[in-house]
Amino acid sequence: MGSQVVQTLRQGVWASLTGGWYHDPEQNKFNNSCHLYLWMFLLMLPLSLHLALPPTTTTLSIYCTSVTVFFIVIKMVNYRLHLMFDQGDIVAQNSVPDISKGVDKKSNASDSCLPSLSIELEMPNLSPQVTNNSSSGIDVNSHTEENDPPELKVDADGFLQIPSVYMRCTQSGRTHARGLSIDSGRDAVLISHRAKDKLGTMTSSKSDLEAKEGQIPNESNFVEFVSLLESINSTRFGGGNEAEKENEERNGEIAQPKMKIQPTFTEGLNISHTQEEDSLDESSETSTQEKPSRKLYYKLKVFPGKWVNILYDRLTLMALLDRNKDKTENMVAVFLAFLVAFLGFVLLNEGCFKDIWVFQFCLVIASCQYSLLKSVQPDAASPTHVSFLEKHSRKFHIVMFNRMKNADTKRFTYCFPVTFLLGLFPQINTFVIYFLEQIDMHFFGGTAATGLPSAVYCIVRSLIALSLLYGFCLGALKEPWDEQHIPALFSGFCALLVVLSYHLSRQSSDPSVLFSLIKSKLMPSLGQGEEDEEEIPAASTDPLPEKLRVSVKEILLSDLVVCILASVLTFAITASTVFLSLRPFVSIVLYALAATVGFVTHYLIPQLRKHHPWLWISHPVLKSKEYSQFEPREDAHLMWFERLYVGLLTFEKYIVYPAIVLSALTNDGFALSHRKKLGIHCDVLLMTVAGMKLLRASFCNPSYQFLTLIFTIIFFEFDCSSASETFLLNFFLMSIVFNKLWDLLHKLHFILVYIAPWQIAWGSAFHAFAQPFAVPHILTIYSAMLLLQTFITTLFYTPLSPFLGSAIFITSYPRPVKFWERNYNTKRIDNSNSRLVSQVDKETGCDDNNLNSIFYEYLTRSLQHSLCGDLMLGRWGNYCAGDCFILASDYLNALVHLIEVGNGLVTFQLRGLEFRGTYCQQREVEAITEGVEEDDSCCCCEPGHLPHVLSCNAAFNLRWLAWEVTTTKYLLEGYSISENNAATMLQVYDLRKLLITYYLKSIIYYLVINPKLQIWVKDQSIQEALQPYTKWHHIEKDPAVFSMKIDEDYVHCLQGVTRASYCNVYLEWIQYCANKLEEPVDSDEDSPLVTLCFALSVLGRRILNSMCTSFLYGFNTLFKGDFRIAAKDEWVFADVDLLQTVVAPAVRMSLKLHQDHFTSLEETEEPAVLYEAISNYRTSLVICHESDPAWRRAVLSSRDTLLTLRHMVDEGADEYKIIMLYKRHLSFKVIKINKECVRGLWAGQQQELIFLRNRNPERGSIQNSKQALRNMINSSCDQPLGYPMFVSPLTTSYMGTHKQIRDIWGGPLSLESIRTWLLSRWVRKDNLTSCNSGMNMEDVDCTGSSLSQNHNSATSQSLSLYHGRPRSSQSRHHGGQNTLHASVQFVVLKPVRKVTYLLKYFFYSIAHREYRSRSVQPQGQRPPVTSRSGPILDSQHGSGTGGPGLVQRLSKSQLSFNTSSIASVFSQVPRLSTTGPLASATGQHRSSQVSSSSSTLSLLFGKRSFSSGLVISGLSAAEGGNTSDTQSSSSVNIVLGPSCRSSRATQVR
């Protein structure tokens, strides 16, 4: 602990103050001396020049020139040295001690460490020159390249004799083995047997070793990695006999080493740097015993033919100076050093600093310049352990502050060492993202940025829109205008403002999807070329990118239509002078309407839907349908209050607030056209910016707009009316202030909850000292400082983090809404991205977290589909950008971070936590899931509580939490996991025997159904190889494979398996499968098919037991596709498809059949049942190993059922689990967390683990804290800070992908949808007109034709089979009965008598009224024939009306009732006199009377009731009622569709 504190103070605190300089005892004296002199030079040069010379331009030029030349020289030398390490030659300079004994003793280990070592006899680059080991590592003697090396000899034993000139004796008397290399950049070492007894010194400090984190060895840096390994190993395992070393130094005798020459080595001496990690791990112990030399001899060419010896390595050079990768970075570093020197010395010359502050400022300049040479790694503001941008950050901030004209701001540079120590200034890219994002959000109404390109894109598009609007507004306000006439240019400005604001609010801040869509449409050939280069198969492509492009395309097409309509409507409203002529009444009405709608939409409804409304009520008032269901099986039901919420939100978003902004724009524009307050340009700019910001904010998320509006009116009308400007400007300023007030409220709530004395957490020994600071009344100074920090962090949107998890809060550096600098996301390990050796020898990605991460990936896809729609339905409560939610279920616990909230889109990131979390995580999960409804306590007693109300203690405790349950039952599509222990199911011999039986039967099934069966049966090479299996006396006697305990076809007397025993068990199954084929295949006992099946059964059992130490291990090996073929079974290589398409799926199918045996018992013994089960599983079930890429594709493609076998190795436990996945609707609790709590805890973890280097896995900052969910939040950090199981990429969810939202909105509005809608309506109207034009009603089925052409109809075709022939108009007018050319018989049951009589009474009264109304029509007028679509007739409803089985459908044809059905309706109508004018019109008006009666009845009874009435009435007439009117031509045609919901059309003539 003490050494860690000292290291933190030295490498962290002191290095941050000095800019990177500190004394590192682990480095050599040369490096430490160079660091000290460099820092002193940079500090004393400006101080001495300022004190010694006058403040003139000459002095400034001298200083700037000196610094520039100094940096150019250092950067050039550093760059040349690194270039030498990359491209130069590595030469062994000295001889090697006697290593023959070591080589003989460690030959096997050397082979594993240097697998591609080869020796070349000619070594032209070896130099016999002996040099001294200087501390600088550079030999200044020059050499020519033409030096010939001494001749190498080979002794009688075949060993290479190295002359003594190659040996070097150091100052300490120790001998070193030097590497020999001819190839470019590749190194080799000769091993000394005594190197294992020597203690080596590390070539670099710990911080520099951390700098190699994440780098991959390659040709240029392999030497450094070898030196790094040997340094670590020599430190860990080093140490030797000092007496032996002293004897070696006294003797000073060097034996000639011998190396064994292998005759096949001809390529020169080299080490292959592409070895597997396993080889490096296995040879780590060997490297510690056989340590190569750390110093290598490099040739640095100075002049042609001249070179200098460099005895240095890359790690030591990087410990001395930071590496700049290219020339551009070097030039930027030199320019920044010059800029800091110039601006800093200008301030000194101006006299801004006096006395001791001159030294302080020179210290700031030196620290900034020194960080360009050797930066602080890691810095307090570093997001990672090694940040290459951090060394430029200090110069950036220094230059930015020095260019400010304010002297007080310039003097703020005094505090730069302290501010850099505390990490208050972020690195460059973080600062740019943060700065641009804040400007876009607060001034232009934009959304959060997802990265640096996104931030630049957002600010650029906002500026383009602003410049376009500025021109229109400037032209409209140049000249004054009266109330009765608004300029068309101003109306155009308003229309354009609404259109651009709406379109920008609908676009994501990430332009990658939009650019991808444009690229695919405008440049398809380029996109196709890239796809061809990648050569990705269609089955493995991810459907998400295409889905996102389709969503963006729908948005663009919808915006095209909506923007046109909105611009026309806005132009018309603003040009109508309604806002000027009716002011201020219009404004007052709009303000009241916005306040009322906002209160109901964003406060009342969300509170009533919460789990504990107002933290007093014990259950939600507005409950969803799924609230009382134990396990919902359908999608969430759309409730009435959700429809109300969407309607109010739409009304508020698209009508109320645009009207308020347009009214304010009109009034302010009218006032500014007559009187300019701040000048025409400034007024126009402010009005344009305010209008665009308010409109975009209202379109994106109006959750808190009503509070801002109310506060604006109250504050500027009553509190500070003197400070009031125009309403638009007041609203704009108050929206910014109110946003900061919300952040302040969240920070204060987080602080008070976190430091509450009765629930404060004690996690470490440091907390015993820090927690007393939680009592604010004891230390008033700390309370004042904390309050000041809270205000400052609120102003600059920076996190306020608890120091080491204690009650002491410190300010962190500003961060964007996204928070994390890098786009970290989890990459799942499977067979597609892992080495083949790891797939064969090890379990690929056998870690549970890696295997279970697929469930969180699928959860991310489900959220991408439904999150935006659910947020708009209010299922997550109120939300805004930056909010954090936790989804908690039985085993899935994920943190969802909302980053961008737009109009119809949401960008989020999901962070999945471990399934089996730590003890602290489980305690916090219990705090989330436990209910407080049963708590009856109040203070110290338990008096109980009122019904449906929480107790006093429960309500009190809920108010002191940084989180709140917003939704209890949130349904999301996911997978439920069931697992069974394979050992209990397969270790018993009887169950294992059953598995083998299913295994062999599955082999037969997959062989028979394979399309290549005929080829395999007729293949001569296969038949020749299978000749032994054709003999009936052939016996397979391998005792390690076949056993009576597990093989049904085992013959005990023969001690093996024969063809006869095999046919006795499996011939029936073979013949049954063969009979299912369309092409007949010979399947008798002597057929080639049986031979092939027998051979594959032997092969399958042999590979199952070929390399297994246990049955489960062998079966798991086969399950993942690893086949170890014996020599006897090499015939299978004639076609590898026999393994891939027959044996491999048979192994997996047998596992499923074995599981089904426990549920279906003996049913699978029947061949038909077994065949059908296997056939169904082939199509409906996915069975594969989890490391197979097909597993991930199946999960992401939402397959219903999946099965796999998992090998779990955890804490010494070696288990095999059978995992079954079922797709269903998972129920989650949605918990909303205080976003400032999340940001503060994340920032605290980043500072503690990176800057303070706290590696304690049980540190106090990750202990459980139920009031803040500290462990769950900290464990969700990016790795290596946290340990999330899965971190998704930034994913955008669109409103259009939500099914229920599409049902409410009707889908995206586009030109194609409008054309389709108009076309369908026009065709329907044309069909209705043609039916009414006097054609025969029986010739044309109007309803059927219209339904068949209407794309939105429930049925796609007419099922009517009856078409009557044309009849004369005379027969139609006189109502004569014609012969029907087609009829459909129907069977009816006895109707209910009482319902019939009731319907007859209603029909009688209605017919009498229609008869009287029609009597006044002229005789010659023909009544119109009415044709209307009938109601949807449900078969179940119809049967329930007239008893069960009211109408039995005999076919799909149209049911046609005879004319007696309708005639019976009027059987009770009394006979009317035929005299007078009524008699002449009776025949003509008959159809119109019935038609009118039908319309009236449909209004009285409804469509469904009226249809049932007609049917019942017709049935009563068919039973033998009054049939006096059965000769009429009236008929009822009921058209039944193909589904249970049939469309019925009633035609009455």
Side-chain angles (χ1 to χ4, degrees), residues 71-305:
F71 271 85
I72 288 176
V73 172
I74 291 182
K75 291 296 181 181
M76 185 176 63
V77 172
N78 188 27
Y79 179 76
R80 285 295 307 275
L81 289 177
H82 280 287
L83 192 63
M84 176 196 68
F85 291 140
D86 293 337
Q87 302 176 0
D89 296 335
I90 307 173
V91 182
Q93 180 178 355
N94 298 306
S95 59
V96 183
D98 186 12
I99 62 170
S100 60
K101 186 184 299 183
V103 172
D104 293 338
K105 189 179 298 183
K106 300 295 180 180
S107 60
N108 296 332
S110 300
D111 293 340
S112 63
C113 184
L114 306 174
S116 59
L117 180 66
S118 59
I119 299 177
E120 188 178 43
L121 295 180
E122 296 183 1
M123 302 180 184
N125 291 335
L126 298 180
S127 173
Q129 195 73 16
V130 179
T131 60
N132 294 328
N133 183 19
S134 61
S135 60
S136 63
I138 300 178
D139 182 14
V140 296
N141 296 329
S142 61
H143 308 275
T144 60
E145 296 182 357
E146 288 78 11
N147 288 336
D148 296 330
E151 183 179 0
L152 298 178
K153 298 180 180 180
V154 180
D155 61 2
D157 297 331
F159 287 92
L160 176 65
Q161 296 182 355
I162 300 180
S164 58
V165 295
Y166 284 73
M167 305 300 295
R168 173 171 71 88
C169 184
T170 61
Q171 296 177 356
S172 60
R174 293 178 294 179
T175 59
H176 292 266
R178 179 58 62 189
L180 306 177
S181 175
I182 306 301
D183 298 337
S184 59
R186 297 187 179 183
D187 318 309
V189 291
L190 301 179
I191 309 302
S192 173
H193 74 288
R194 295 177 180 174
K196 61 182 179 181
D197 298 329
K198 300 177 184 178
L199 180 63
T201 59
M202 296 188 68
T203 60
S204 59
S205 64
K206 180 180 179 181
S207 62
D208 298 310
L209 296 181
E210 292 176 351
K212 302 299 290 181
E213 180 183 0
Q215 297 186 14
I216 301 176
N218 51 33
E219 293 185 1
S220 61
N221 61 6
F222 184 74
V223 176
E224 286 72 27
F225 275 90
V226 172
S227 302
L228 174 62
L229 289 174
E230 71 181 57
S231 301
I232 297 175
N233 292 326
S234 62
T235 306
R236 183 179 302 171
F237 303 103
N241 191 349
E242 297 295 337
E244 184 179 354
K245 294 181 181 180
E246 293 177 358
N247 293 334
E248 292 177 5
E249 293 176 359
R250 291 193 189 99
N251 295 334
E253 297 178 357
I254 304 174
Q256 292 183 355
K258 299 180 180 181
M259 293 187 61
K260 183 71 177 180
I261 301 270
Q262 299 183 12
T264 58
F265 290 171
T266 58
E267 293 294 331
L269 186 66
N270 60 76
I271 291 181
S272 176
H273 65 280
T274 60
Q275 299 303 312
E276 302 291 342
E277 296 176 358
D278 301 333
S279 302
L280 293 177
D281 295 338
E282 294 172 359
S283 61
S284 59
E285 184 177 356
T286 304
S287 340
T288 61
Q289 298 177 357
E290 302 174 355
K291 180 174 67 66
S293 177
R294 291 178 300 278
K295 295 183 179 180
L296 299 173
Y297 174 87
Y298 292 90
K299 294 192 305 181
L300 178 63
K301 294 182 180 180
V302 182
F303 301 105

Side-chain angles (χ1 to χ4, degrees), residues 1034-1052:
H1034 177 74
I1035 305 174
E1036 291 289 340
K1037 288 186 176 181
D1038 192 349
V1041 178
F1042 306 99
S1043 173
M1044 184 178 62
K1045 297 179 180 179
I1046 61 175
D1047 295 312
E1048 285 192 1
D1049 54 349
Y1050 187 84
V1051 182
H1052 181 67

Side-chain angles (χ1 to χ4, degrees), residues 1007-1008 1013 1017 1070 1074 1081-1083 1087-1094:
L1007 175 64
V1008 172
L1013 175 62
V1017 171
I1070 295 175
V1081 179
D1082 187 11
S1083 59
S1087 63
L1089 175 61
V1090 176
T1091 303
L1092 185 57
C1093 291
F1094 178 53

Side-chain angles (χ1 to χ4, degrees), residues 346 560 776 969 1112 1128 1459 1532:
V346 166
L560 178 63
K969 283 286 184 72
L1112 285 176
K1128 300 178 182 180
T1459 54
V1532 178

Side-chain angles (χ1 to χ4, degrees), residues 1264-1492:
N1264 74 88
S1265 177
K1266 295 182 180 180
Q1267 73 274 16
L1269 302 180
R1270 180 170 60 187
N1271 182 269
M1272 298 182 70
I1273 293 173
N1274 287 338
S1275 62
S1276 65
C1277 297
D1278 284 351
Q1279 291 184 357
L1281 306 182
Y1283 37 90
M1285 182 185 299
F1286 174 79
V1287 177
S1288 72
L1290 299 183
T1291 308
T1292 303
S1293 174
Y1294 293 94
M1295 177 187 65
T1297 58
H1298 197 276
K1299 181 181 178 181
Q1300 294 174 340
I1301 290 293
R1302 292 180 74 98
D1303 293 340
I1304 297 175
W1305 285 76
L1309 187 63
S1310 62
L1311 296 176
E1312 182 65 23
S1313 62
I1314 294 175
R1315 188 186 69 84
T1316 304
W1317 184 82
L1318 292 177
L1319 183 61
S1320 63
R1321 292 301 183 270
W1322 178 263
V1323 171
R1324 180 178 177 84
K1325 182 179 179 181
D1326 183 65
N1327 289 337
L1328 294 178
T1329 306
S1330 64
C1331 292
N1332 295 332
S1333 61
M1335 297 178 62
N1336 195 338
M1337 299 293 291
E1338 297 178 0
D1339 295 340
V1340 181
D1341 189 356
C1342 303
T1343 306
S1345 62
S1346 62
L1347 289 175
S1348 64
Q1349 296 182 17
N1350 189 359
H1351 301 285
N1352 296 326
S1353 175
T1355 59
S1356 60
Q1357 60 182 353
S1358 175
L1359 298 177
S1360 175
L1361 297 179
Y1362 170 74
H1363 296 280
R1365 292 184 177 179
R1367 295 183 299 177
S1368 62
S1369 58
Q1370 181 180 2
S1371 63
R1372 182 174 63 247
H1373 284 295
H1374 291 282
Q1377 183 178 4
N1378 296 320
T1379 304
L1380 298 178
H1381 296 278
S1383 61
V1384 180
Q1385 298 180 353
F1386 59 92
V1387 180
V1388 296
L1389 298 177
K1390 184 177 181 180
V1392 182
R1393 295 292 183 181
K1394 295 182 180 180
V1395 178
T1396 305
Y1397 294 149
L1398 182 61
L1399 289 174
K1400 287 180 178 180
Y1401 173 75
F1402 277 106
F1403 274 82
Y1404 173 79
S1405 60
I1406 294 169
H1408 184 66
R1409 183 169 59 252
E1410 291 293 330
Y1411 168 77
R1412 292 170 55 188
S1413 63
R1414 297 296 180 180
S1415 61
V1416 297
Q1417 293 184 1
Q1419 182 178 359
Q1421 181 181 356
R1422 181 185 178 185
V1425 180
T1426 304
S1427 177
R1428 55 183 302 272
S1429 297
I1432 297 175
L1433 179 61
D1434 195 344
S1435 60
Q1436 297 179 358
H1437 182 79
S1439 61
T1441 304
L1446 179 63
V1447 177
Q1448 178 180 359
R1449 286 187 296 176
L1450 300 179
S1451 65
K1452 293 184 178 180
S1453 61
Q1454 174 180 336
L1455 296 181
S1456 178
F1457 292 93
N1458 202 352
T1459 54
S1460 60
S1461 303
I1462 294 300
S1464 62
V1465 175
F1466 300 95
S1467 60
Q1468 301 298 328
V1469 179
R1471 293 288 181 179
L1472 301 177
S1473 176
T1474 58
T1475 58
L1478 180 61
S1480 61
T1482 301
Q1484 300 177 7
H1485 299 166
R1486 190 62 177 268
S1487 60
S1488 62
Q1489 293 172 5
V1490 178
S1491 177
S1492 178

